[in-house]
PDB file of all heavy atoms in Angstrom:
ATOM      1  N   TRP A 155       3.500   4.516  -9.843  1.00 89.00           N
ATOM      2  CA  TRP A 155       2.607   5.671  -9.849  1.00 89.00           C
ATOM      3  C   TRP A 155       2.014   5.969  -8.474  1.00 89.00           C
ATOM      4  O   TRP A 155       1.335   6.999  -8.316  1.00 89.00           O
ATOM      5  CB  TRP A 155       1.477   5.449 -10.857  1.00 89.00           C
ATOM      6  CG  TRP A 155       1.947   5.414 -12.280  1.00 89.00           C
ATOM      7  CD1 TRP A 155       1.982   4.317 -13.099  1.00 89.00           C
ATOM      8  CD2 TRP A 155       2.457   6.504 -13.046  1.00 89.00           C
ATOM      9  NE1 TRP A 155       2.486   4.658 -14.325  1.00 89.00           N
ATOM     10  CE2 TRP A 155       2.785   6.002 -14.317  1.00 89.00           C
ATOM     11  CE3 TRP A 155       2.672   7.857 -12.773  1.00 89.00           C
ATOM     12  CZ2 TRP A 155       3.324   6.804 -15.325  1.00 89.00           C
ATOM     13  CZ3 TRP A 155       3.199   8.671 -13.770  1.00 89.00           C
ATOM     14  CH2 TRP A 155       3.514   8.136 -15.030  1.00 89.00           C
ATOM     15  N   LEU A 156       2.231   5.129  -7.491  1.00 86.00           N
ATOM     16  CA  LEU A 156       1.609   5.348  -6.182  1.00 86.00           C
ATOM     17  C   LEU A 156       2.025   6.680  -5.567  1.00 86.00           C
ATOM     18  O   LEU A 156       1.228   7.335  -4.884  1.00 86.00           O
ATOM     19  CB  LEU A 156       1.982   4.217  -5.219  1.00 86.00           C
ATOM     20  CG  LEU A 156       1.221   2.905  -5.375  1.00 86.00           C
ATOM     21  CD1 LEU A 156       1.778   1.861  -4.410  1.00 86.00           C
ATOM     22  CD2 LEU A 156      -0.264   3.094  -5.146  1.00 86.00           C
ATOM     23  N   ASP A 157       3.259   7.084  -5.790  1.00 81.00           N
ATOM     24  CA  ASP A 157       3.750   8.290  -5.132  1.00 81.00           C
ATOM     25  C   ASP A 157       3.444   9.558  -5.926  1.00 81.00           C
ATOM     26  O   ASP A 157       3.900  10.634  -5.579  1.00 81.00           O
ATOM     27  CB  ASP A 157       5.254   8.191  -4.865  1.00 81.00           C
ATOM     28  CG  ASP A 157       5.685   9.034  -3.674  1.00 81.00           C
ATOM     29  OD1 ASP A 157       4.887   9.181  -2.739  1.00 81.00           O
ATOM     30  OD2 ASP A 157       6.810   9.550  -3.681  1.00 81.00           O
ATOM     31  N   ASN A 158       2.665   9.442  -6.990  1.00 84.00           N
ATOM     32  CA  ASN A 158       2.176  10.614  -7.722  1.00 84.00           C
ATOM     33  C   ASN A 158       0.764  10.899  -7.233  1.00 84.00           C
ATOM     34  O   ASN A 158      -0.216  10.361  -7.749  1.00 84.00           O
ATOM     35  CB  ASN A 158       2.182  10.346  -9.236  1.00 84.00           C
ATOM     36  CG  ASN A 158       3.575  10.355  -9.824  1.00 84.00           C
ATOM     37  OD1 ASN A 158       4.018  11.325 -10.396  1.00 84.00           O
ATOM     38  ND2 ASN A 158       4.278   9.230  -9.652  1.00 84.00           N
ATOM     39  N   HIS A 159       0.654  11.736  -6.219  1.00 89.00           N
ATOM     40  CA  HIS A 159      -0.643  11.886  -5.554  1.00 89.00           C
ATOM     41  C   HIS A 159      -0.767  13.257  -4.896  1.00 89.00           C
ATOM     42  O   HIS A 159       0.217  13.954  -4.691  1.00 89.00           O
ATOM     43  CB  HIS A 159      -0.795  10.816  -4.471  1.00 89.00           C
ATOM     44  CG  HIS A 159       0.258  10.906  -3.406  1.00 89.00           C
ATOM     45  ND1 HIS A 159       1.401  10.145  -3.434  1.00 89.00           N
ATOM     46  CD2 HIS A 159       0.368  11.689  -2.293  1.00 89.00           C
ATOM     47  CE1 HIS A 159       2.168  10.447  -2.396  1.00 89.00           C
ATOM     48  NE2 HIS A 159       1.558  11.396  -1.686  1.00 89.00           N
ATOM     49  N   HIS A 160      -2.006  13.616  -4.583  1.00 91.00           N
ATOM     50  CA  HIS A 160      -2.245  14.673  -3.601  1.00 91.00           C
ATOM     51  C   HIS A 160      -2.720  13.980  -2.327  1.00 91.00           C
ATOM     52  O   HIS A 160      -2.902  12.754  -2.313  1.00 91.00           O
ATOM     53  CB  HIS A 160      -3.269  15.694  -4.105  1.00 91.00           C
ATOM     54  CG  HIS A 160      -4.666  15.170  -4.247  1.00 91.00           C
ATOM     55  ND1 HIS A 160      -5.158  14.615  -5.422  1.00 91.00           N
ATOM     56  CD2 HIS A 160      -5.699  15.102  -3.359  1.00 91.00           C
ATOM     57  CE1 HIS A 160      -6.401  14.244  -5.260  1.00 91.00           C
ATOM     58  NE2 HIS A 160      -6.767  14.521  -4.024  1.00 91.00           N
ATOM     59  N   ALA A 161      -2.876  14.725  -1.257  1.00 91.00           N
ATOM     60  CA  ALA A 161      -3.262  14.116   0.017  1.00 91.00           C
ATOM     61  C   ALA A 161      -4.579  14.691   0.510  1.00 91.00           C
ATOM     62  O   ALA A 161      -4.865  15.873   0.332  1.00 91.00           O
ATOM     63  CB  ALA A 161      -2.172  14.339   1.074  1.00 91.00           C
ATOM     64  N   PHE A 162      -5.370  13.835   1.117  1.00 92.00           N
ATOM     65  CA  PHE A 162      -6.581  14.241   1.825  1.00 92.00           C
ATOM     66  C   PHE A 162      -6.199  14.263   3.301  1.00 92.00           C
ATOM     67  O   PHE A 162      -6.157  13.228   3.953  1.00 92.00           O
ATOM     68  CB  PHE A 162      -7.705  13.245   1.541  1.00 92.00           C
ATOM     69  CG  PHE A 162      -9.051  13.617   2.125  1.00 92.00           C
ATOM     70  CD1 PHE A 162     -10.168  12.868   1.814  1.00 92.00           C
ATOM     71  CD2 PHE A 162      -9.220  14.700   2.980  1.00 92.00           C
ATOM     72  CE1 PHE A 162     -11.413  13.179   2.337  1.00 92.00           C
ATOM     73  CE2 PHE A 162     -10.453  15.028   3.512  1.00 92.00           C
ATOM     74  CZ  PHE A 162     -11.559  14.266   3.189  1.00 92.00           C
ATOM     75  N   ASP A 163      -5.893  15.452   3.815  1.00 89.00           N
ATOM     76  CA  ASP A 163      -5.410  15.604   5.188  1.00 89.00           C
ATOM     77  C   ASP A 163      -6.537  16.087   6.097  1.00 89.00           C
ATOM     78  O   ASP A 163      -6.895  17.268   6.057  1.00 89.00           O
ATOM     79  CB  ASP A 163      -4.260  16.619   5.257  1.00 89.00           C
ATOM     80  CG  ASP A 163      -3.006  16.127   4.562  1.00 89.00           C
ATOM     81  OD1 ASP A 163      -2.731  14.918   4.652  1.00 89.00           O
ATOM     82  OD2 ASP A 163      -2.313  16.941   3.938  1.00 89.00           O
ATOM     83  N   ASP A 164      -7.084  15.182   6.873  1.00 89.00           N
ATOM     84  CA  ASP A 164      -8.090  15.571   7.870  1.00 89.00           C
ATOM     85  C   ASP A 164      -8.208  14.435   8.882  1.00 89.00           C
ATOM     86  O   ASP A 164      -8.999  13.507   8.709  1.00 89.00           O
ATOM     87  CB  ASP A 164      -9.443  15.855   7.227  1.00 89.00           C
ATOM     88  CG  ASP A 164     -10.398  16.561   8.176  1.00 89.00           C
ATOM     89  OD1 ASP A 164     -10.268  16.352   9.406  1.00 89.00           O
ATOM     90  OD2 ASP A 164     -11.273  17.321   7.703  1.00 89.00           O
ATOM     91  N   PHE A 165      -7.396  14.524   9.943  1.00 86.00           N
ATOM     92  CA  PHE A 165      -7.349  13.439  10.914  1.00 86.00           C
ATOM     93  C   PHE A 165      -8.566  13.415  11.838  1.00 86.00           C
ATOM     94  O   PHE A 165      -8.681  12.538  12.681  1.00 86.00           O
ATOM     95  CB  PHE A 165      -6.057  13.532  11.727  1.00 86.00           C
ATOM     96  CG  PHE A 165      -4.831  13.215  10.916  1.00 86.00           C
ATOM     97  CD1 PHE A 165      -4.002  14.217  10.458  1.00 86.00           C
ATOM     98  CD2 PHE A 165      -4.538  11.910  10.569  1.00 86.00           C
ATOM     99  CE1 PHE A 165      -2.884  13.936   9.696  1.00 86.00           C
ATOM    100  CE2 PHE A 165      -3.426  11.604   9.795  1.00 86.00           C
ATOM    101  CZ  PHE A 165      -2.590  12.625   9.359  1.00 86.00           C
ATOM    102  N   GLU A 166      -9.455  14.382  11.680  1.00 86.00           N
ATOM    103  CA  GLU A 166     -10.699  14.355  12.448  1.00 86.00           C
ATOM    104  C   GLU A 166     -11.810  13.648  11.686  1.00 86.00           C
ATOM    105  O   GLU A 166     -12.899  13.452  12.218  1.00 86.00           O
ATOM    106  CB  GLU A 166     -11.128  15.782  12.801  1.00 86.00           C
ATOM    107  CG  GLU A 166     -10.157  16.485  13.747  1.00 86.00           C
ATOM    108  CD  GLU A 166     -10.644  17.856  14.163  1.00 86.00           C
ATOM    109  OE1 GLU A 166     -11.718  18.272  13.667  1.00 86.00           O
ATOM    110  OE2 GLU A 166      -9.960  18.519  14.968  1.00 86.00           O
ATOM    111  N   MET A 167     -11.536  13.265  10.436  1.00 88.00           N
ATOM    112  CA  MET A 167     -12.523  12.552   9.626  1.00 88.00           C
ATOM    113  C   MET A 167     -12.184  11.071   9.572  1.00 88.00           C
ATOM    114  O   MET A 167     -11.023  10.685   9.508  1.00 88.00           O
ATOM    115  CB  MET A 167     -12.577  13.125   8.206  1.00 88.00           C
ATOM    116  CG  MET A 167     -13.212  14.489   8.113  1.00 88.00           C
ATOM    117  SD  MET A 167     -13.542  14.955   6.388  1.00 88.00           S
ATOM    118  CE  MET A 167     -14.787  13.731   5.935  1.00 88.00           C
ATOM    119  N   SER A 168     -13.207  10.259   9.578  1.00 89.00           N
ATOM    120  CA  SER A 168     -13.040   8.805   9.549  1.00 89.00           C
ATOM    121  C   SER A 168     -12.978   8.304   8.107  1.00 89.00           C
ATOM    122  O   SER A 168     -13.560   8.901   7.191  1.00 89.00           O
ATOM    123  CB  SER A 168     -14.210   8.146  10.275  1.00 89.00           C
ATOM    124  OG  SER A 168     -14.236   6.757  10.031  1.00 89.00           O
ATOM    125  N   THR A 169     -12.283   7.199   7.930  1.00 90.00           N
ATOM    126  CA  THR A 169     -12.230   6.543   6.622  1.00 90.00           C
ATOM    127  C   THR A 169     -13.435   5.636   6.380  1.00 90.00           C
ATOM    128  O   THR A 169     -13.531   5.014   5.327  1.00 90.00           O
ATOM    129  CB  THR A 169     -10.960   5.682   6.508  1.00 90.00           C
ATOM    130  OG1 THR A 169     -10.945   4.729   7.598  1.00 90.00           O
ATOM    131  CG2 THR A 169      -9.698   6.540   6.564  1.00 90.00           C
ATOM    132  N   SER A 170     -14.352   5.552   7.321  1.00 93.00           N
ATOM    133  CA  SER A 170     -15.399   4.527   7.278  1.00 93.00           C
ATOM    134  C   SER A 170     -16.255   4.597   6.013  1.00 93.00           C
ATOM    135  O   SER A 170     -16.562   3.561   5.406  1.00 93.00           O
ATOM    136  CB  SER A 170     -16.293   4.636   8.521  1.00 93.00           C
ATOM    137  OG  SER A 170     -16.891   5.911   8.601  1.00 93.00           O
ATOM    138  N   SER A 171     -16.647   5.800   5.561  1.00 95.00           N
ATOM    139  CA  SER A 171     -17.511   5.887   4.385  1.00 95.00           C
ATOM    140  C   SER A 171     -16.748   5.501   3.116  1.00 95.00           C
ATOM    141  O   SER A 171     -17.323   4.887   2.205  1.00 95.00           O
ATOM    142  CB  SER A 171     -18.098   7.292   4.254  1.00 95.00           C
ATOM    143  OG  SER A 171     -17.076   8.255   4.098  1.00 95.00           O
ATOM    144  N   ILE A 172     -15.452   5.847   3.041  1.00 95.00           N
ATOM    145  CA  ILE A 172     -14.652   5.458   1.878  1.00 95.00           C
ATOM    146  C   ILE A 172     -14.477   3.939   1.862  1.00 95.00           C
ATOM    147  O   ILE A 172     -14.607   3.295   0.814  1.00 95.00           O
ATOM    148  CB  ILE A 172     -13.278   6.152   1.903  1.00 95.00           C
ATOM    149  CG1 ILE A 172     -13.443   7.674   1.915  1.00 95.00           C
ATOM    150  CG2 ILE A 172     -12.430   5.721   0.704  1.00 95.00           C
ATOM    151  CD1 ILE A 172     -12.136   8.432   2.047  1.00 95.00           C
ATOM    152  N   VAL A 173     -14.187   3.369   3.019  1.00 94.00           N
ATOM    153  CA  VAL A 173     -14.012   1.920   3.115  1.00 94.00           C
ATOM    154  C   VAL A 173     -15.308   1.198   2.759  1.00 94.00           C
ATOM    155  O   VAL A 173     -15.294   0.182   2.043  1.00 94.00           O
ATOM    156  CB  VAL A 173     -13.556   1.536   4.539  1.00 94.00           C
ATOM    157  CG1 VAL A 173     -13.645   0.028   4.749  1.00 94.00           C
ATOM    158  CG2 VAL A 173     -12.134   2.028   4.784  1.00 94.00           C
ATOM    159  N   GLU A 174     -16.424   1.717   3.225  1.00 95.00           N
ATOM    160  CA  GLU A 174     -17.713   1.103   2.900  1.00 95.00           C
ATOM    161  C   GLU A 174     -17.930   1.082   1.389  1.00 95.00           C
ATOM    162  O   GLU A 174     -18.414   0.091   0.831  1.00 95.00           O
ATOM    163  CB  GLU A 174     -18.838   1.870   3.581  1.00 95.00           C
ATOM    164  CG  GLU A 174     -20.223   1.282   3.338  1.00 95.00           C
ATOM    165  CD  GLU A 174     -21.328   2.049   4.040  1.00 95.00           C
ATOM    166  OE1 GLU A 174     -21.021   3.021   4.762  1.00 95.00           O
ATOM    167  OE2 GLU A 174     -22.507   1.677   3.869  1.00 95.00           O
ATOM    168  N   TYR A 175     -17.552   2.165   0.722  1.00 96.00           N
ATOM    169  CA  TYR A 175     -17.707   2.224  -0.736  1.00 96.00           C
ATOM    170  C   TYR A 175     -16.760   1.239  -1.416  1.00 96.00           C
ATOM    171  O   TYR A 175     -17.162   0.519  -2.347  1.00 96.00           O
ATOM    172  CB  TYR A 175     -17.430   3.642  -1.228  1.00 96.00           C
ATOM    173  CG  TYR A 175     -17.788   3.849  -2.687  1.00 96.00           C
ATOM    174  CD1 TYR A 175     -19.062   4.269  -3.055  1.00 96.00           C
ATOM    175  CD2 TYR A 175     -16.849   3.626  -3.701  1.00 96.00           C
ATOM    176  CE1 TYR A 175     -19.398   4.456  -4.387  1.00 96.00           C
ATOM    177  CE2 TYR A 175     -17.181   3.800  -5.034  1.00 96.00           C
ATOM    178  CZ  TYR A 175     -18.456   4.222  -5.368  1.00 96.00           C
ATOM    179  OH  TYR A 175     -18.789   4.388  -6.692  1.00 96.00           O
ATOM    180  N   LEU A 176     -15.501   1.176  -0.972  1.00 94.00           N
ATOM    181  CA  LEU A 176     -14.529   0.259  -1.572  1.00 94.00           C
ATOM    182  C   LEU A 176     -14.978  -1.194  -1.461  1.00 94.00           C
ATOM    183  O   LEU A 176     -14.755  -1.998  -2.371  1.00 94.00           O
ATOM    184  CB  LEU A 176     -13.169   0.428  -0.901  1.00 94.00           C
ATOM    185  CG  LEU A 176     -12.328   1.626  -1.306  1.00 94.00           C
ATOM    186  CD1 LEU A 176     -11.077   1.709  -0.443  1.00 94.00           C
ATOM    187  CD2 LEU A 176     -11.947   1.560  -2.780  1.00 94.00           C
ATOM    188  N   ASP A 177     -15.601  -1.539  -0.362  1.00 94.00           N
ATOM    189  CA  ASP A 177     -16.009  -2.923  -0.128  1.00 94.00           C
ATOM    190  C   ASP A 177     -17.384  -3.242  -0.707  1.00 94.00           C
ATOM    191  O   ASP A 177     -17.876  -4.359  -0.555  1.00 94.00           O
ATOM    192  CB  ASP A 177     -15.996  -3.225   1.374  1.00 94.00           C
ATOM    193  CG  ASP A 177     -14.579  -3.400   1.919  1.00 94.00           C
ATOM    194  OD1 ASP A 177     -13.654  -3.587   1.102  1.00 94.00           O
ATOM    195  OD2 ASP A 177     -14.397  -3.350   3.149  1.00 94.00           O
TER     196      ASP A 177
END
Side-chain angles (χ1 to χ4, degrees):
W155 293 110
L156 281 176
D157 207 32
N158 286 261
H159 61 264
H160 68 269
F162 185 173
D163 292 323
D164 193 331
F165 291 103
E166 295 184 357
M167 288 191 66
S168 168
T169 57
S170 59
S171 61
I172 301 176
V173 168
E174 182 179 357
Y175 189 90
L176 282 174
D177 285 344

